Amino acid sequence: MKWYEKIGYQLFEPNRDQSPGELIFFKIFELFILIYTIKYAWEWGIYTQLRNSEVVLPLGVANYIDISILFQWNLALINAAVITLLSSIAFTRMGYKWFYMVVMVLLHIQYVARFSQGEIPHSMNLIGMSVLCFAVGAIWFPGKKQMPRFVMGSIIFFIGLGYTSAFIAKMIGKGIYWFDGRHLWLWISEKSIDVYSSLGYYEPNILQELALNYLPLASLILLIGWFTELIGFTMWWKKLRPFTTMLLLGMHIGITLTMNIRFDSFVMQLILIGFPWYLLIDRYIKTTPKWVEKLV
């Protein structure tokens, strides 16, 4: 067996029997994605309708089409309504297999319209990637066993790849000097402006004060985070996944405490995807409810 086939077996577990807990957890996870898809669609739509007037920075598909059309005639709100309708139908499996693919495209359009003003957050990108995985799974892996395994496995793959790619990108951008503590000083200073603008005041916490006063500590904080990103790909292995997830969660807590950057939906999704919750469900439920089988 080749190395990439071994990784595929770790991600998709084709030889493991399907359990009731796996199907129940899969629908819980899909509900989580559905809620955040609808939430972001309306938040971005309302913001676009009320505040956007011109495209400052084209993103994604906005490089090829005039996305400013969504700023008029309540089109952003109509788009949010369509996303809500189609994603809800796709969740219940009452519509066509390609509904999730349409939701993914419309959600991307909503995203590039909202963030066409120059601000590019990435904390919610994993929700969009998950919708894409659901879309591919619904079309090409529609079976009761194949779809959950493909969706969960592919999301784990992209999470691990994303973290390790972030390490490599930092290495390309700054080389080995990326973890210089002075970079952390700069980021703390930049985010303090955002906090002050939002709250009207800014007071550094204890960790920020220590990092600002001691350069070696600031460098150590960045080095630990950088190393944690490097091993992100170890999520691909089932036995290592919970431990890697714990390290990644610790890294995100550190990012929040030092740079006031929060990844709420990302962290919640990481918690859901990084631990074998289905084993806990299987302790209490021995048979799959009929309504769960229909919804899968």
Side-chain angles (χ1 to χ4, degrees), residues 3 14 26 36 41 45 64 79 85 87 99 104 125 136 147 174 198 223 226 235-236 238 249-250 253-254 257 278:
W3 64 270
F26 177 71
Y36 268 90
Y64 308 99
N79 191 35
L85 177 62
S87 58
F99 272 16
M104 189 274 296
N125 284 357
V136 175
M147 183 177 178
K174 286 292 183 180
S198 300
L223 183 60
W226 200 21
M235 283 193 70
W236 298 345
K238 183 178 180 180
L249 291 174
I253 292 173
L257 292 176
Y278 70 91

Side-chain angles (χ1 to χ4, degrees), residues 9 62 73 89 120 135 161 172 181 236 241 247 251 272 279 285:
Y9 267 78
W73 307 307
I89 295 175
I120 313 175
L161 179 63
I172 295 173
W236 298 345
R241 193 171 302 148
L247 290 174
M251 182 190 71
L272 287 173
L279 294 178
I285 300 178

